[in-house]
Amino acid sequence: MKKNHVIKALLFGMLSIIIANGHAYAQSWQVDKVHSTVRFNVSHLVISEVEGSFKVYEGKIESKKPDFTDAVINFKVDVNSIHTDNSMRDEHLRSPDFFNAKEYPNMSFKSTSFRKKSGNKYELTGDLTIRDVTKKVVFDVTYGGTIKDGYGNIKSGFKAVSSIDRIAYGLKWNALTEAGGATVGKEVGITLNLEFAQAK
């Protein structure tokens, strides 16, 4: 009888472990704005590029797996926080010619998949909404790793790169140069350098 009790106890223990692993709690991560940047670039007059950034944003990751392959990512950017080192240009970008920030003050991103390609290279797919338009966007992501900082906080770092067609999102203003080229390019590059802190 003792032997049967021992076997039952072992089986029960193994079952408990399996159930616990199957119902592991998701870890929540919040973007650390002090160590992150949200930047973009677009061609100007065909011959050069202008860079800019957004200063106000928030981001969150929910993931049960340590390699983030099941991650659900949500990100929101305050369009009014756009900054290109030129106040007149920034006001024009906030206007109905571009973001129409008064009517659409935020743009948002919600992931649909976060897939590991190889090593620390991932592919992030999701829905990006600008103004009232939502379209699928794919980011190439480099996962920098996870580490504990000097204050005992767990941090994870990512760099995500993509490009979008601004015209498709209703940011349609343009003018032609004397040579017939576009003053502002159609393709906008996006570069996100993000550090996330694990919620305590």
Side-chain angles (χ1 to χ4, degrees):
M1 292 293 293
K2 277 188 175 181
K3 186 175 181 181
N4 287 337
H5 284 307
V6 171
I7 292 172
K8 285 180 181 179
L10 288 172
L11 289 173
F12 180 78
M14 291 172 64
L15 183 61
S16 299
I17 291 169
I18 291 169
I19 291 172
N21 288 337
H23 295 277
Y25 291 107
Q27 290 288 343
S28 182
W29 303 75
Q30 298 287 344
V31 68
D32 178 357
K33 299 173 187 176
V34 177
H35 302 104
S36 301
T37 56
V38 176
R39 304 194 62 82
F40 65 90
N41 62 280
V42 63
S43 68
H44 180 245
L45 300 176
V46 186
I47 62 171
S48 64
E49 287 191 351
V50 170
E51 295 185 339
S53 64
F54 293 94
K55 300 300 184 182
V56 180
Y57 50 88
E58 56 189 60
K60 184 178 181 180
I61 296 176
E62 295 283 344
S63 179
K64 293 181 181 178
K65 297 181 179 180
D67 65 354
F68 294 99
T69 49
D70 65 338
V72 176
I73 301 164
N74 287 278
F75 213 85
K76 185 169 72 172
V77 175
D78 181 351
V79 172
N80 284 288
S81 71
I82 196 167
H83 180 73
T84 64
D85 289 322
N86 184 291
S87 59
M88 288 182 62
R89 179 168 57 210
D90 293 345
E91 284 302 316
H92 190 198
L93 289 169
R94 295 185 189 104
S95 78
D97 282 344
F98 290 97
F99 285 102
N100 196 2
K102 187 174 182 180
E103 188 170 351
Y104 306 104
N106 298 305
M107 57 181 173
S108 62
F109 174 85
K110 184 173 183 177
S111 69
T112 54
S113 72
F114 191 52
R115 181 177 66 87
K116 180 183 283 192
K117 295 169 70 177
S118 64
N120 67 337
K121 302 298 182 182
Y122 288 69
E123 182 180 87
L124 170 63
T125 303
D127 295 321
L128 175 65
T129 301
I130 302 175
R131 292 174 64 121
D132 57 347
V133 179
T134 300
K135 292 187 174 294
K136 184 177 83 170
V137 175
V138 179
F139 286 86
D140 290 322
V141 178
T142 301
Y143 169 44
T146 297
I147 196 170
K148 183 182 289 188
D149 68 13
Y151 301 96
N153 302 302
I154 307 298
K155 300 289 191 72
S156 289
F158 303 87
K159 180 176 182 178
V161 179
S162 188
S163 64
I164 62 170
D165 177 356
R166 67 179 179 88
I167 305 299
Y169 286 94
L171 285 71
K172 296 181 178 179
W173 183 89
N174 220 329
L176 296 179
T177 66
E178 288 185 1
T183 299
V184 181
K186 184 174 73 170
E187 293 294 319
V188 179
I190 302 171
T191 302
L192 310 175
N193 282 294
L194 303 175
E195 190 171 296
F196 285 84
Q198 188 181 86
K200 295 183 177 179

